[in-house]
């Protein structure tokens, strides 16, 4: 039998009771494809839901005075899901900037919004080869830890910072090591509609694929459609290598 402390550490945090969530995506359609059902569910529950986009197509539309095509599509998806825009960080698609620079751009957003949970792509997905996904997921990991540090970024006078924030839950979608499954049966069509907002990127094959993945995620549950996440609590973000229990939510 596990020691009670170890037993506690093995339990992933529940993705319920979230009042404020921040979804951080590499590209303007990733949140909807990977977690659009969860976004709809949280917004419907009355939670404040924010979306932050790391890269976009502004390098392809440098003369555009207003929002670019992909930014406009992201705003349309946000409106449909009744969520808030936390900004576009302005890195170009296939950015050559470092993980550290991306993380430092994400950090103040976390400290400003103070979310109960942050959702992003899993940079440890075995099959992930896209550098924007690898960099974004890793940058979010760094930023979540750094947001807790009252000495970072370093100040010239050496005084502690007061704008720190500890995020209770960090959850990854696009993961091959899920430990939480969320019933999105009620929100599957809304998820699909939000993906359709990204007209420059999606076709019917993508929509079929996403729906099939949601069915597969729901296998061995009572759900018709599900999204799956690798969820970590604050204490699970550093050092400890303990096998998690897999569970529904």
């Amino acid at each position: 039998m596990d020691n009670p402390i170890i037993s506690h550490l093995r339990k992933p945090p529940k993705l319920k009771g979230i009042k404020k969530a921040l979804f951080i995506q590499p590209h303007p359609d990733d949140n909807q494809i990977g977690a659009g059902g969860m976004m709809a569910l949280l917004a419907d529950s009355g939670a404040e839901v924010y979306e932050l986009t790391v890269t976009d197509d502004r390098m392809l539309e440098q003369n555009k005075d207003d929002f670019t095509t992909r930014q406009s599509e992201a705003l349309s998806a946000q409106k449909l899901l009744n969520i808030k825009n936390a900004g576009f960080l302005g890195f170009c698609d296939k950015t050559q900037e470092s993980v550290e620079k991306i993380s430092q751009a994400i950090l103040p957003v976390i400290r400003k919004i103070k979310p109960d949970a942050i959702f992003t792509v899993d940079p440890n997905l075995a099959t992930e080869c896209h550098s924007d996904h690898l960099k974004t997921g890793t940058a979010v990991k760094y930023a979540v830890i750094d947001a807790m540090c009252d000495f970072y970024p370093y100040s010239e006078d050496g005084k502690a910072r007061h704008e720190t924030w500890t995020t209770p839950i960090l959850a990854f979608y696009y993961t091959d090591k899920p430990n939480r499954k969320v019933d999105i049966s009620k929100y599957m069509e809304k998820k699909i509609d939000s993906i359709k907002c990204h007209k420059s990127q999606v076709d019917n094959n993508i929509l079929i694929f996403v729906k099939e993945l949601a069915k597969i995620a729901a296998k061995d549950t009572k759900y018709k459609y599900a999204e799956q996440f690798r969820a970590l609590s604050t204490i699970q973000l550093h050092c400890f290598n303990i096998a998690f229990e897999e569970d529904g939510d």
Side-chain angles (χ1 to χ4, degrees):
M1 182 178 292
D2 280 345
N3 178 291
I5 295 175
I6 299 300
S7 181
H8 174 71
L9 286 175
R10 289 186 64 200
K11 293 184 182 298
K14 289 186 176 293
L15 301 178
K16 291 183 177 179
I18 296 170
K19 301 299 182 186
K20 189 183 291 186
L22 172 60
F23 288 75
I24 304 175
Q25 60 185 353
H27 306 112
D29 56 355
D30 283 311
N31 282 336
Q32 280 76 59
I33 293 172
M38 186 64 175
M39 299 178 93
L41 185 158
L42 288 173
D44 192 44
S45 74
E48 286 184 72
V49 182
Y50 294 84
E51 178 172 86
L52 179 67
T53 306
V54 173
T55 76
D56 56 51
D57 56 338
R58 67 183 64 201
M59 291 299 292
L60 297 176
E61 301 184 20
Q62 295 184 55
N63 297 323
K64 200 174 181 74
D65 295 326
D66 201 357
F67 294 110
T68 67
T69 298
R70 297 206 68 186
Q71 290 172 348
S72 297
E73 290 171 351
L75 293 172
S76 295
Q78 291 166 15
K79 184 177 181 180
L80 186 147
L81 291 169
N82 194 29
I83 65 175
K84 301 177 181 180
N85 185 32
F88 301 100
L89 291 183
F91 296 97
C92 64
D93 199 351
K94 290 297 295 178
T95 181
Q96 297 302 296
E97 297 292 353
S98 69
V99 169
E100 288 75 16
K101 186 167 183 178
I102 297 169
S103 180
Q104 288 169 6
I106 293 170
L107 176 59
V109 180
I110 293 175
R111 286 176 166 171
K112 179 180 179 181
I113 292 177
K114 298 178 170 54
D116 301 325
I118 292 176
F119 295 80
T120 192
V121 295
D122 191 343
N124 302 113
L125 173 65
T127 55
E128 184 57 76
C129 299
H130 199 307
S131 58
D132 288 345
H133 284 231
L134 294 168
K135 286 182 176 182
T136 296
T138 303
V140 172
K141 291 168 68 173
Y142 290 178
V144 168
I145 290 289
D146 292 345
M148 294 187 268
C149 299
D150 64 2
F151 58 85
Y152 188 80
Y154 305 117
S155 58
E156 292 183 3
D157 58 12
K159 292 182 178 178
R161 295 180 175 275
H162 301 291
E163 69 275 23
T164 58
W165 178 250
T166 298
T167 304
I169 299 169
L170 173 59
F172 300 97
Y173 56 86
Y174 294 162
T175 185
D176 53 4
K177 294 181 176 63
N179 54 28
R180 286 293 181 198
K181 293 188 177 184
V182 176
D183 182 8
I184 63 161
S185 304
K186 181 179 176 182
Y187 301 100
M188 189 67 227
E189 292 309 314
K190 196 162 191 178
K191 172 185 173 87
I192 293 296
D193 287 343
S194 72
I195 297 171
K196 288 179 180 177
C197 290
H198 301 278
K199 296 177 182 178
S200 69
Q201 303 299 307
V202 304
D203 57 26
N204 196 50
N205 289 331
I206 289 291
L207 301 177
I208 293 171
F209 182 61
V210 168
K211 209 162 189 176
E212 285 303 309
L213 286 178
K215 286 182 181 178
I216 293 169
K219 187 178 179 181
D220 300 324
T221 72
K222 60 184 179 181
Y223 315 145
K224 183 177 181 181
Y225 297 106
E227 287 175 346
Q228 53 190 16
F229 302 91
R230 180 163 68 94
L232 305 174
S233 65
T234 304
I235 198 170
Q236 294 163 339
L237 295 179
H238 183 46
C239 294
F240 303 113
N241 180 25
I242 298 174
F244 289 106
E245 297 174 353
E246 185 175 336
D247 196 4
D249 219 56

